[in-house]
Amino acid sequence: MTDHTPTDFAALAALLADRFSTALPHRAAHGASETHITAGVPDAVCWPESTAEVAAILRFAQAHGVPVMAWGAGTSLEGHALALHGGITVNFARMAQVIEVRPEDMLARVQPGITREDLNRALRATGLFFPIDPGANATIGGMAATRASGTAAVRYGTMRDAVLGLEVVLADGTVIRTGTAAPKSSAGYDLTALMVGSEGTLGLITELTLRLHGQPEAVSAATCGFADMRAAVDCVIETMQSGLPMARIEFLDPATVAACNAHAGLDLPLIPQLMVEFHGSPASVAEQAARFGDIAAEHGCTGFRWADRAEDRSALWKMRHNAYPAILASRPGATAVVTDVCVPISQLPRAVEETAADIAASSIPGPILGHVGDGNFHAILLIDPTSKNDRAEAKRLAARMAERALRLGGTITGEHGVGFGKLGHMQAEHGAGWAVMGAVKRALDPRNILNPGKVVPLDQ
Amino acid sequence: MTDHTPTDFAALAALLADRFSTALPHRAAHGASETHITAGVPDAVCWPESTAEVAAILRFAQAHGVPVMAWGAGTSLEGHALALHGGITVNFARMAQVIEVRPEDMLARVQPGITREDLNRALRATGLFFPIDPGANATIGGMAATRASGTAAVRYGTMRDAVLGLEVVLADGTVIRTGTAAPKSSAGYDLTALMVGSEGTLGLITELTLRLHGQPEAVSAATCGFADMRAAVDCVIETMQSGLPMARIEFLDPATVAACNAHAGLDLPLIPQLMVEFHGSPASVAEQAARFGDIAAEHGCTGFRWADRAEDRSALWKMRHNAYPAILASRPGATAVVTDVCVPISQLPRAVEETAADIAASSIPGPILGHVGDGNFHAILLIDPTSKNDRAEAKRLAARMAERALRLGGTITGEHGVGFGKLGHMQAEHGAGWAVMGAVKRALDPRNILNPGKVVPLDQ
């Protein structure tokens, strides 16, 4: 694959009619995502309505050597879906149905374009829910492609755990089904796990079988403040080691708290805060909350605010989910460089403290928050998009975070994925394993038409 | 790769000295496994002591086009480790150390040759344990290679969930590390998951980073009998749907109960039995047990026998783990064909009942037992190894079980893996996906020296 000569899209246009477009506004809308990364407008956009249409698009692309990028909600943070070499962006907005819910098997089959909020609305009456919650209202297909996780991963796992099986269209238009509706299997290579996190570079996901969970009988949530970051993080570590089945345990530094207060009209004390949630039977939730309270008290927790009513919890997590826009709003005109590292939990205090010190010594602000029960945290580096110096500073800080994560035994990305924003750190994390990813890519997509320039080494 | 001309092993013999052997007794000991499958004596056996030695063995094998099979405890059930085309069997008995336990991160780094029982003995004082329990005292490397699970998977998952990262030696001797010590990552293709379940066909595992769990504060276990199979299985389904965090929930049919009684000197009633275990805080265990008791009563449970003391529980699970030899002993002189299917839990009653009816109508006995919380069960088909008719009957019954599992949305193997025993059903389960496995295999092992004739299509 190289930057291609102009393609005659007539056959695709004939197939898809008004669900195919080369109009600039459509192309531009699929050439930008939520972050600072801007590059990559496709030559065409299409909105397939079936697996057969996706297969036809891929057969066309394969025949013409044209890149194909999958598009969900456009909420990815590392430029995953941008068209670095032109080509066709496949928008899954018209493949957004719940195909089947099987409550007795606690699973659902869905199309990739459904968002997690729409899915959970569709599930509400079943007593089940889909727990993976990356904050953004991403599509399920996009979440699978980036191996997303979020606030509830500490209890319910990541998309790696949530996806039981897939329907995938390969580069040449072949349709495969991975996994089954059984809860486990040892029948050969785990193609489901290979596809989850492959960011559209190995195939396009056209259907997902998802593991669901029972809506908890009782839920309780709280915020609690700590004198300093270390005390909060140490409380997290001890909580996790105690085996308490935390449903959520989130960290907000004082700058994040200030931004959330301003954005949501709250008055949380401007000290490091944990946001916690407990799921279970009423007796179990009460026991968990009491045990967590004991641990928090030992680490000098300065007070709890409980949110036992559903509307209070909803407000609490809405505040957390809006932390990103809240932080953005705290520096008017700013753009965010969102970092995402994950370390072994024992290294969390060091990773967070060193990151905070780095940012404090830099010329830009960078509130810190994260899913600390997983060892995963983010600094939201706020830059003036017109300032070369700010951009360089953010790049330097982000690189130091990635290097530190690797030095402490962790990973350059806990949940956001690689896209091309993290490509420069892949060799450092994987060594010879990165070339193995390249070999797998070449085997499945020899013409390199699937999301070229992402995830694997560039010499494909 | 084809059946090779005699290889000059002098270089390997020089490298490994008395840890290399071409003596027939050594070769024969690595040419048979626990089941009816007999085929495949290697040309040589070696016992490496380091990753560097494994890499040297693979460089030698690659240069000479010689097959290489990894060997753990020899407990696999589908001929996984047998030498179908001669070659070198790599026995990991001398790479069986715990390298590091990190209690604060709830993980351990181990060499592949350690058995699960030895690992748990080494962990005892740490307050942590490794929960994956396939019954047999398999090696951790072998369990990873076959994506094993067993009795506790319903709560703690399978080897897919238990392995955080690997060191793997590839076909050409390249050493890669997959995963990190962080609990999750989105950094590219999930090579850990690709290797787990690849049965030594993509690389040889030389180190594993394992996720550990806290030893439960309280444990309670029980057996409970039901009037018929349907009532027992329906009880399992309702229990799983209720969200009870069962640690174990096993099914034994009356023939299995009879065999276990005879083998262990017990007197369990000869009706379908469930064996259950609860983990948690004392209060939580009591609550779980009470809730399970209510559900069991609704399904006509005829009585509980509780095993609250550690020694009683130990006896109970020893009885379960010895079910295989107990069943074997129930037909003197018999060999077992151990089947292993897994279906969506809603299909479990139908799958078990139809299987039982099939066996009842056949000419051979086949007690049924399984990890029914996962939808996974086994019929242990007992054949006279000298009887052609028995072999044909077992093959027919096993094929019908596999076909039924697929028809009901399940898989041909829940936990035993493919080896070459299940090769004939792979196309039916995976369709075009099986060829994708072959493409991955070719990309990573172009000379097909790694465990040839297993897992992937034979036209490699």
Side-chain angles (χ1 to χ4, degrees):
Chain A
M1 202 288 314
T2 57
D3 290 32
H4 52 93
T5 50
T7 306
D8 178 358
F9 286 113
L12 266 193
L15 174 73
L16 299 168
D18 64 348
R19 294 182 286 106
F20 174 87
S21 172
T22 54
L24 187 57
H26 286 141
R27 293 168 51 210
H30 293 80
S33 59
E34 281 200 356
T35 47
H36 61 110
I37 298 171
T38 52
V41 172
D43 299 309
V45 181
C46 55
W47 292 263
E49 289 183 340
S50 68
T51 300
E53 285 185 354
V54 175
I57 293 165
L58 279 163
R59 283 194 301 270
F60 175 93
Q62 178 84 347
H64 293 78
V66 179
V68 174
M69 284 65 56
W71 188 275
T75 55
S76 66
L77 292 164
E78 298 290 352
H80 301 69
L82 302 185
L84 302 182
H85 305 278
I88 307 163
T89 293
V90 179
N91 184 318
F92 280 100
R94 298 178 76 98
M95 291 177 69
Q97 299 299 306
V98 175
I99 300 166
E100 181 188 20
V101 181
R102 289 167 56 169
E104 69 282 18
D105 292 317
M106 301 180 79
L107 62 82
R109 284 168 56 219
V110 304
Q111 290 186 307
I114 192 169
T115 65
R116 64 174 185 86
E117 289 179 4
D118 281 348
L119 173 58
N120 274 321
R121 263 190 287 277
L123 292 174
R124 198 168 289 163
T126 65
L128 299 169
F129 80 117
F130 181 71
I132 316 293
D133 172 12
N137 188 22
T139 62
I140 299 295
M143 287 166 61
T146 51
R147 208 183 302 126
S149 47
T151 58
V154 64
R155 168 74 165 261
Y156 298 99
T158 73
M159 287 302 282
R160 183 186 200 271
D161 310 290
V163 179
L164 267 176
L166 296 168
E167 180 186 77
V168 179
V169 184
L170 303 178
D172 65 358
T174 302
V175 180
I176 65 167
R177 296 194 77 95
T178 75
T180 73
K184 65 183 187 185
S185 171
S186 289
Y189 304 167
D190 191 343
L191 297 182
T192 306
L194 181 63
M195 292 292 168
V196 170
S198 66
E199 303 186 9
T201 64
L202 297 178
L204 263 55
I205 297 168
T206 47
E207 186 187 310
L208 306 95
T209 302
L210 302 173
R211 201 186 289 271
L212 306 176
H213 293 262
Q215 290 167 13
E217 211 185 326
V219 177
S220 181
T223 56
C224 48
F226 291 84
D228 55 42
M229 198 177 278
R230 183 82 190 204
V233 174
D234 283 346
C235 173
V236 171
I237 295 179
E238 194 177 327
T239 302
M240 296 313 297
Q241 286 169 358
S242 76
L244 266 182
M246 303 299 293
R248 291 184 161 101
I249 186 162
E250 298 277 311
F251 171 82
L252 287 68
D253 80 351
T256 302
V257 174
C260 289
N261 277 347
H263 195 257
L266 298 176
D267 63 344
L268 283 174
L270 295 178
I271 53 177
Q273 297 278 344
L274 294 181
M275 296 176 62
V276 294
E277 188 164 284
F278 308 97
H279 292 178
S281 68
S284 161
V285 162
E287 190 195 6
Q288 291 174 51
R291 292 178 66 187
F292 177 76
D294 290 345
I295 296 171
E298 280 168 31
H299 291 91
C301 170
T302 61
F304 274 80
R305 294 197 188 182
W306 288 96
D308 291 325
R309 293 185 310 164
E311 55 268 39
D312 294 340
R313 276 201 311 281
S314 174
L316 187 68
W317 293 109
K318 191 172 171 194
M319 182 267 276
R320 168 65 187 85
H321 285 153
N322 285 332
Y324 177 56
I327 288 169
L328 259 182
S330 73
R331 186 179 176 188
T335 296
V337 175
V338 184
T339 64
D340 167 41
V341 293
C342 187
V343 297
I345 199 163
S346 66
Q347 305 303 312
L348 191 59
R350 186 166 164 194
V352 172
E353 284 183 341
E354 288 184 16
T355 301
D358 249 19
I359 293 169
S362 82
S363 61
I364 56 175
I368 292 174
L369 72 170
H371 320 306
V372 282
D374 286 328
N376 186 199
F377 67 95
H378 315 289
I380 315 287
L381 304 172
L382 294 172
I383 61 172
D384 171 352
T386 67
S387 160
K388 256 186 155 171
N389 182 63
D390 274 16
R391 284 195 174 272
E393 192 73 336
K395 196 172 171 184
R396 186 184 65 81
L397 288 168
R400 280 175 62 87
M401 281 181 73
E403 287 154 15
R404 184 180 299 114
L406 292 178
R407 201 164 61 241
L408 298 177
T411 174
I412 58 170
T413 169
E415 56 180 3
H416 292 172
V418 180
F420 68 91
K422 285 274 170 69
L423 217 49
H425 298 290
M426 287 290 278
Q427 181 67 42
E429 174 154 343
H430 298 288
W434 200 29
V436 174
M437 296 184 201
V440 171
K441 164 75 169 173
R442 273 192 305 279
L444 268 65
D445 179 21
R447 292 197 70 175
N448 194 20
I449 62 163
L450 292 170
N451 207 8
K454 318 285 170 62
V455 186
V456 294
L458 289 178
D459 56 346
Q460 291 306 301
Chain B
M1 203 288 313
T2 56
D3 290 32
H4 53 93
T5 51
T7 307
D8 179 357
F9 288 113
L12 266 194
L15 174 74
L16 298 168
D18 64 349
R19 295 182 286 106
F20 174 88
S21 172
T22 53
L24 186 58
H26 286 142
R27 293 167 52 209
H30 293 80
S33 60
E34 280 199 359
T35 47
H36 61 110
I37 298 172
T38 51
V41 172
D43 299 309
V45 181
C46 55
W47 291 263
E49 290 184 338
S50 67
T51 300
E53 287 186 351
V54 175
I57 293 164
L58 279 164
R59 283 193 301 271
F60 174 92
Q62 178 85 348
H64 292 78
V66 178
V68 175
M69 284 65 55
W71 189 274
T75 55
S76 66
L77 292 165
E78 298 290 353
H80 301 69
L82 302 185
L84 302 183
H85 305 278
I88 307 164
T89 294
V90 179
N91 183 319
F92 280 100
R94 297 177 76 100
M95 292 178 70
Q97 300 298 307
V98 175
I99 301 167
E100 182 189 19
V101 180
R102 289 168 56 170
E104 68 283 17
D105 292 318
M106 301 179 79
L107 62 82
R109 284 169 55 219
V110 305
Q111 290 185 305
I114 192 169
T115 65
R116 63 174 186 86
E117 289 179 3
D118 282 348
L119 172 58
N120 275 320
R121 264 189 289 276
L123 292 173
R124 198 168 289 162
T126 64
L128 300 168
F129 80 116
F130 181 71
I132 315 295
D133 171 10
N137 187 23
T139 63
I140 299 295
M143 287 166 61
T146 51
R147 207 183 301 127
S149 47
T151 58
V154 64
R155 168 76 164 261
Y156 298 100
T158 74
M159 288 302 282
R160 182 186 201 269
D161 309 291
V163 179
L164 269 175
L166 296 169
E167 180 186 78
V168 178
V169 184
L170 302 178
D172 65 358
T174 302
V175 180
I176 65 167
R177 296 194 77 94
T178 74
T180 73
K184 66 183 186 184
S185 171
S186 288
Y189 304 166
D190 191 342
L191 297 183
T192 306
L194 181 62
M195 291 292 169
V196 170
S198 67
E199 303 186 10
T201 64
L202 296 178
L204 263 53
I205 297 168
T206 47
E207 187 187 309
L208 307 95
T209 302
L210 302 173
R211 201 186 290 273
L212 305 177
H213 293 262
Q215 290 168 11
E217 210 185 324
V219 177
S220 182
T223 55
C224 48
F226 292 84
D228 55 41
M229 198 177 276
R230 184 79 191 209
V233 175
D234 283 347
C235 173
V236 171
I237 295 179
E238 195 177 326
T239 302
M240 297 314 298
Q241 286 169 358
S242 77
L244 267 181
M246 302 300 293
R248 291 184 162 101
I249 185 161
E250 297 278 308
F251 171 81
L252 287 68
D253 79 351
T256 301
V257 174
C260 289
N261 278 348
H263 195 258
L266 298 174
D267 63 344
L268 283 173
L270 295 178
I271 52 177
Q273 297 278 342
L274 294 180
M275 297 176 60
V276 294
E277 189 165 283
F278 308 97
H279 292 177
S281 69
S284 160
V285 163
E287 190 197 5
Q288 291 174 50
R291 292 178 65 189
F292 176 76
D294 290 345
I295 296 171
E298 280 168 31
H299 290 91
C301 171
T302 60
F304 273 82
R305 294 197 190 182
W306 288 95
D308 291 325
R309 293 183 312 163
E311 55 268 39
D312 295 340
R313 276 200 312 280
S314 174
L316 186 68
W317 293 109
K318 191 171 170 197
M319 181 266 275
R320 168 64 187 85
H321 286 152
N322 286 333
Y324 178 56
I327 289 169
L328 259 182
S330 73
R331 184 178 178 188
T335 298
V337 175
V338 184
T339 63
D340 168 41
V341 293
C342 189
V343 297
I345 198 161
S346 66
Q347 304 303 310
L348 192 59
R350 188 167 162 191
V352 173
E353 284 183 341
E354 288 185 14
T355 301
D358 248 17
I359 293 169
S362 82
S363 61
I364 57 174
I368 292 174
L369 71 172
H371 320 307
V372 282
D374 286 328
N376 185 199
F377 67 96
H378 314 289
I380 316 287
L381 304 172
L382 294 172
I383 61 171
D384 171 353
T386 66
S387 161
K388 256 184 152 172
N389 182 63
D390 274 17
R391 286 197 174 272
E393 191 74 336
K395 196 171 170 185
R396 187 184 64 83
L397 289 167
R400 280 175 62 89
M401 281 181 73
E403 287 152 16
R404 183 180 299 116
L406 293 178
R407 202 165 59 239
L408 299 176
T411 174
I412 58 170
T413 168
E415 54 180 5
H416 292 174
V418 180
F420 69 91
K422 286 275 171 70
L423 216 49
H425 298 291
M426 288 290 278
Q427 180 67 41
E429 173 154 345
H430 298 289
W434 200 29
V436 174
M437 295 185 201
V440 171
K441 165 75 170 172
R442 273 193 304 278
L444 269 65
D445 179 21
R447 292 198 69 178
N448 194 20
I449 63 163
L450 292 170
N451 207 10
K454 318 286 170 62
V455 186
V456 295
L458 288 179
D459 55 347
Q460 292 305 300

